[in-house]
Amino acid sequence: MRNLAILALSATLVAQAPLPPQPVPAQNLITPQKAVLGKLLFWEEQMSTDNRVACGTCHTFAAGGGDTRRARGTGADGMLNTPDDVFASPGIIRSDAANDYTPDPAFGFGLQVTDRATPSSLTGGWFTDLFWDGRARSNFIDPDTGVTLIPAGGALENQALVPLLSAVEMAHDSRTFAQAVSKLINVKPMALATNLPADMALAVAGNTTYPDLFQAAFGTPDVTAARIAMAIATYERTLVPDQTPYDAFVGGNTTALTPQQIQGLNVFMGPARCGLCHTTGLFADNQYHNLGLRPIAEDNGRQGVTGNPADAGRFKTPSLRNIGLRNTFMHNGQFTNIADVFTFYRLGGGPNQQNKDPLLIPLNVPPPAANDLINFLTNALTDPRVANGTAPFDRPTLRSQILPQLGNQNGIPTVGSGGRFPVLLNNVPANLGNIDFKMGIYNAVGGAASTLVLSTGTGLSQLSGIWINVGLNGSELLIPWVLNGTPGAAGDGYGTLSVGLPNAPALSGLSLYTQWFVWDGGAPAGAAATRGGRFDLF
């Protein structure tokens, strides 16, 4: 018992920093109406141009404010499966300025992937600048008027707007804030989500519109990019993860940490040297460091923002709060568990010496002490409300969690030129009033004539060697189409049918079935076809 008391006392002496009060800019004070609007917008998939991506898609509480998904993306060379690849967040299938599918040089018609791993959103309000390179600055300027709305403390507001126009994350090519705002004005709030938390459900009850919600939050119904940013930032500032075992320990509960975790805290502050950059409280230092992880030529980090050679290869120190829920670590997502991250630091960081931070030196931390440290990081810094998804860290179920990535498909495709099977894209939710609804095809022969069939029934039959995956009863709709792509090139053909769905409640519950047929002279059967697809109107 005496040894435990000594451990507790020593840890108490080094752990005098609870999470400090969160700075809130005077120009965007927290109100309940603004916070719930921000919560709706944060989880609103209709903010994206394919209705499948919300802020919360990549920033999930189950991953400590990061992304539960982990996808391979390209590095500086723009190619996949090369040494500079990153592991980051999948976004959307690339679409052109008209929101029609278009091939991406690296990802084709697959989901594009961000060029850096997704940082946690949960402690963003404590940082002066945001993103790994700090390009979301402290002063927030209205993107429509050029007027400075928040002279300092507005990094969250700046960060909130970037994904809206990112052609990788949420947008088609060349999207504007005016387009994003126009769409938001006309959608039914949270039309795609289910299992809404009580505060969200109450806010959208009845025929509440987004202009109504902006009226309640800001005093007028005007929907603007700046107000979207201010609402989302307000919601994020209500997510304060300060009920960890560590916080209880600092608050005076000497049994909140296990003896092993207390020892891990001492290792953290002592031989592991973690506290030099991950200062207790926020468990970050609001600074940027070059860890020698990868060559600077792959990603120059902070230097790309400041232009200062001294910042070459430096990246923001992330907060370690809720790190035990993460499955991707470092700006390039190189590691998948805390043990590997600590091994990296124990060996003195990465092998790339150019501009490497001198704080990184080999560490003398034996395995038992390392295990104590990992226990502390994994368990003592996790807020159980975050881990369990309880208020304020509750969330709805998103449509993208239910709808398969390529949409609901059935049947058998028919091979075309070059042994290629055309692929159907019917992944966009068919919510009534969806102005961005579309269906697509790719991997067909380029420049070919095709026919898109829409039917009220499904089927599986074969006609002259061509698989028919829709019901044919004489009432189906046949839409002729000429595919894009180099004429005659196998696998180069693609196309998109974009059509706004009417806001007609009588159509709710109707299922339609679709299939593309490609008139392909190089196909064994004289034509190729996709699998069948189903979309359910709601």
Side-chain angles (χ1 to χ4, degrees):
M1 294 298 295
R2 180 176 179 275
N3 289 339
L4 289 180
I6 292 172
L7 282 174
L9 177 60
S10 63
T12 302
L13 293 177
V14 300
Q16 294 298 315
L19 184 64
Q22 181 176 210
V24 178
Q27 299 80 9
N28 191 24
L29 297 176
I30 297 173
T31 66
Q33 297 85 355
K34 202 187 304 178
V36 75
L37 170 58
K39 187 173 184 177
L40 293 166
L41 295 175
F42 188 90
W43 296 104
E44 179 61 86
E45 291 170 295
Q46 295 175 105
M47 294 271 280
S48 66
T49 56
D50 72 348
N51 282 24
R52 290 186 64 101
V53 180
C55 303
T57 302
C58 299
H59 294 287
T60 62
F61 304 135
D67 201 336
T68 56
R69 308 163 302 164
R70 186 173 186 267
R72 181 184 288 270
T74 63
D77 64 7
M79 297 185 293
L80 286 170
N81 301 310
T82 59
D84 71 343
D85 283 0
V86 300
F87 295 89
S89 289
I92 67 174
I93 299 170
R94 187 171 179 183
S95 296
D96 63 19
N99 202 24
D100 289 341
Y101 293 116
T102 190
D104 182 80
F107 302 102
F109 290 90
L111 295 182
Q112 301 171 91
V113 178
T114 57
D115 57 7
R116 292 173 183 152
T118 299
S120 174
S121 60
L122 292 181
T123 51
W126 281 266
F127 286 91
T128 305
D129 303 305
L130 289 172
F131 291 116
W132 283 105
D133 56 12
R135 66 186 183 278
R137 300 295 184 89
S138 181
N139 61 313
F140 177 57
I141 299 173
D142 188 323
D144 295 319
T145 66
V147 174
T148 296
L149 299 179
I150 302 176
L156 274 177
E157 285 79 0
N158 278 315
Q159 184 278 328
L161 290 181
V162 173
L164 271 179
L165 301 189
S166 168
V168 173
E169 298 178 63
M170 297 180 76
H172 59 63
D173 291 353
S174 305
R175 191 190 200 190
T176 65
F177 285 126
Q179 291 172 322
V181 166
S182 176
K183 178 179 180 180
L184 193 64
I185 289 172
N186 294 290
V187 302
K188 177 183 177 182
M190 303 309 292
L192 302 176
T194 55
N195 301 318
L196 270 62
D199 55 346
M200 298 175 72
L202 180 62
V204 301
N207 294 316
T208 301
T209 66
Y210 271 116
D212 294 335
L213 293 162
F214 276 79
Q215 169 81 49
F218 293 99
T220 70
D222 301 326
V223 180
T224 68
R227 284 181 166 186
I228 290 172
M230 295 175 86
I232 292 175
T234 296
Y235 165 61
E236 290 181 304
R237 291 187 178 106
T238 67
L239 304 175
V240 180
D242 62 351
Q243 293 186 19
T244 70
Y246 165 83
D247 292 299
F249 182 81
V250 173
N253 180 357
T254 58
T255 65
L257 298 183
T258 68
Q260 185 182 14
Q261 291 163 3
I262 293 172
Q263 180 59 24
L265 175 56
N266 285 324
V267 175
F268 181 95
M269 297 302 296
R273 295 165 54 91
C274 307
L276 295 178
C277 298
H278 296 283
T279 310
T280 56
L282 180 57
F283 285 90
D285 62 358
N286 247 313
Q287 301 297 320
Y288 301 81
H289 301 274
N290 183 335
L291 308 181
L293 183 71
R294 300 294 304 169
I296 290 172
E298 290 183 5
D299 190 338
N300 67 355
R302 182 66 171 163
Q303 185 185 20
V305 175
T306 66
N308 186 351
D311 286 329
R314 290 181 175 176
F315 294 90
K316 175 184 290 295
T317 304
S319 171
L320 298 182
R321 286 181 173 271
N322 298 294
I323 194 174
L325 301 176
R326 303 297 300 269
N327 65 356
T328 298
F329 303 89
M330 305 300 188
H331 72 274
N332 65 348
Q334 183 166 326
F335 301 118
T336 60
N337 62 77
I338 296 174
D340 287 347
V341 173
F342 181 64
T343 296
F344 169 84
Y345 283 113
R346 183 176 58 79
L347 297 175
N352 300 281
Q353 298 302 313
Q354 182 185 355
N355 205 38
K356 185 176 176 180
D357 198 305
L359 288 174
L360 291 165
I361 61 173
L363 305 174
N364 181 21
V365 181
N371 291 335
D372 293 342
L373 172 64
I374 291 169
N375 186 326
F376 169 74
L377 293 171
T378 302
N379 301 302
L381 298 182
T382 298
D383 189 318
R385 300 170 302 163
V386 177
N388 298 327
T390 56
F393 304 98
D394 49 359
R395 54 160 294 173
T397 300
L398 302 184
R399 182 68 53 170
S400 57
Q401 296 176 259
I402 302 171
L403 186 64
Q405 182 49 53
L406 292 180
N408 293 308
Q409 300 197 11
N410 62 277
I412 304 171
T414 302
V415 69
S417 291
R420 303 290 192 97
F421 289 92
V423 178
L424 170 69
L425 291 171
N426 67 318
N427 63 326
V428 176
N431 55 302
L432 297 173
N434 181 359
I435 64 171
D436 287 329
F437 183 75
K438 59 186 178 182
M439 293 171 283
I441 180 176
Y442 72 95
N443 207 39
V445 64
S450 66
T451 301
L452 175 64
V453 177
L454 293 177
S455 172
T456 56
T458 186
L460 181 62
S461 61
Q462 206 174 24
L463 178 64
S464 300
I466 303 169
W467 285 101
I468 312 297
N469 302 311
V470 292
L472 300 178
N473 56 21
S475 63
E476 57 276 352
L477 178 65
L478 308 180
I479 304 173
W481 210 263
V482 177
L483 300 182
N484 300 313
T486 304
D492 199 49
Y494 63 96
T496 309
L497 173 66
S498 299
V499 55
L501 295 180
N503 191 7
L507 297 177
S508 181
L510 176 66
S511 293
L512 294 177
Y513 300 86
T514 184
Q515 185 178 9
W516 289 83
F517 296 88
V518 181
W519 312 117
D520 180 353
T530 66
R531 298 182 70 198
R534 186 192 84 235
F535 53 91
D536 306 313
L537 279 67
F538 62 97

